[in-house]
Amino acid sequence: MDSLRSLFGTLPIVGSDVAYRWDTLYLFLTAVSAFFFVLVIGLMVYFVVKYRAGSGGQTKPIRDHHVLEITWTLVPTLLLLVIFAWGYLVYREMIQAPVNSMEVRVIGKQWSWSFQYDDGKVSPDLVVPINEPVKLIMSSDDVLHSMFIPNFRIKQDVVPGMYTTVWFEPTVTGKHEIYCAEYCGAAHSQMLSSVYVLSADEWARWKNGEDVLSQNLNTGTPTSAASTGTQAAGGSLVDQGAQLYRTKGCVACHSIDGATVIGPSFKGIWGHDVELTDGSKVKVDENYVRESIENPEAKKVKGFETMVMPPFKGQITEPEMNALIAFIKSHKD
Ligand code: CUA
C-alpha cells in the first residue's frame, strides 16, 4: 500500500479496512489503464515511423482472422467482468455493517455534526475504539448533507426525513477529518468535525468520562466538549426514549408488554416484518418507525385500520427521534 501512496502522492492515509480494498481496486484500474495506454500509443508511434510516407512499407490486408476477433472481444469482456465483480464486492462490504457493530447516531445540521451514543453522551466529534466495526445511523435536522471521512474512504448522503447508514472499522489511531460533502448553504465548507480513534484502553477511559483526547493524542487539539462528551440529561438513549414514550403520550396506545391497548404493542416488533392494511409487508426498522411517528397514516398495520394517531411531524427533534427509536428497539425481545 505504501507503493500505492507513493504512486499517486496525494491519497490520504489508509485508515480503515475498506479503504485498503478501495485503494487496491483503484490501483488495479490505474494499472490496466496504464498498460493499454502504453500498448496503444506505443504501437501507434511504432507504425507511424515504420510505415511513414516514402518508406515503401506495406502490410498484407487481414481478412476473417477469427483468432484476432475472438481475442479482442473476449479480453475486454473478461476485464470488464472482473472490474464489475470486484467493485460490487467492495461496495457490498462498504454498505453492509456487521451485526455486532457499535451504533452511533449522527445528526447533520447547518452547519455542524453531532454524535449521539447509546449511553446518552453527545459529542461534536466522533470518538471510537480501534479495530471495532462502527455503524453510523444518520439523519438531518434541515437540508441534505453528506458524511465524508477521506481516510476511511466512506461517503454517504445524510437526508432530511429519513435514516441512512454507513460503517467502518478504523485501523489507525489518532485524529481523522470529517467533511460535509454536499453543498448545504453558506457555511458548508465550515461543516467540519473529526474522528478520534482510540486504543481499547483509552476508549474505556473515555467512556468513563476521562479527558483522554487532550492527554494522549498529539495529532491535534479536540474541541473542549469532545474531550469527554456531554452527558445528556435523562440518562442513556433508551432511558431518554422511555421518558419521551410517557411525556409524548405514546404510552396511552402502545404497550411494551405485548398487550394490545389501542395501537400495536412495541414488544418484539423490531426487526420483524409486519403486515399492513393493504396486505403488503414492511420491516420494522429506523425508517419505518420514523415514518409511522411522523405520518401514522402512511403505513398502517393490519387490524388497526380504524386507529387514529396524530401526526408528530415537526414535533419531535432529531435527538428525540433517535431516543424513541432506541427505546422501541430495546423491546425487541
Ligand atoms: Cu452540510 Cu454541506
Side-chain angles (χ1 to χ4, degrees), residues 159-174:
V159 187
M162 65 179 281
Y163 286 100
T164 55
T165 62
V166 70
W167 80 280
F168 57 87
E169 189 171 320
T171 52
V172 176
T173 54

Side-chain angles (χ1 to χ4, degrees), residues 185-217:
H188 154 73
S189 63
Q190 308 297 315
M191 194 169 162
L192 307 168
S193 184
S194 304
V195 193
Y196 293 93
V197 179
L198 304 181
S199 67
D201 170 57
E202 288 169 334
W203 166 250
R205 284 162 48 209
W206 185 79
K207 290 267 281 183
N208 282 331
E210 271 187 60
D211 183 9
V212 286
L213 298 190
S214 49
Q215 286 168 16
N216 291 337
L217 293 174

Side-chain angles (χ1 to χ4, degrees), residues 111 144-146 180-184 188 191:
W111 288 276
L144 196 60
H145 303 278
S146 183
C180 177
E182 190 74 60
Y183 182 71
C184 55
H188 154 73
M191 194 169 162

Side-chain angles (χ1 to χ4, degrees), residues 4-20:
L4 179 72
R5 238 177 293 152
S6 59
L7 178 67
F8 295 106
T10 53
L11 280 182
I13 68 160
V14 178
S16 73
D17 184 50
V18 85
Y20 177 80

Side-chain angles (χ1 to χ4, degrees), residues 198-248:
L198 304 181
S199 67
D201 170 57
E202 288 169 334
W203 166 250
R205 284 162 48 209
W206 185 79
K207 290 267 281 183
N208 282 331
E210 271 187 60
D211 183 9
V212 286
L213 298 190
S214 49
Q215 286 168 16
N216 291 337
L217 293 174
N218 50 11
T219 41
T221 314
T223 52
S224 55
S227 319
T228 51
T230 317
Q231 194 69 45
S236 73
L237 211 53
V238 172
D239 290 344
Q240 294 171 41
Q243 207 175 334
L244 289 162
Y245 168 70
R246 291 187 296 271
T247 56
K248 297 282 179 186

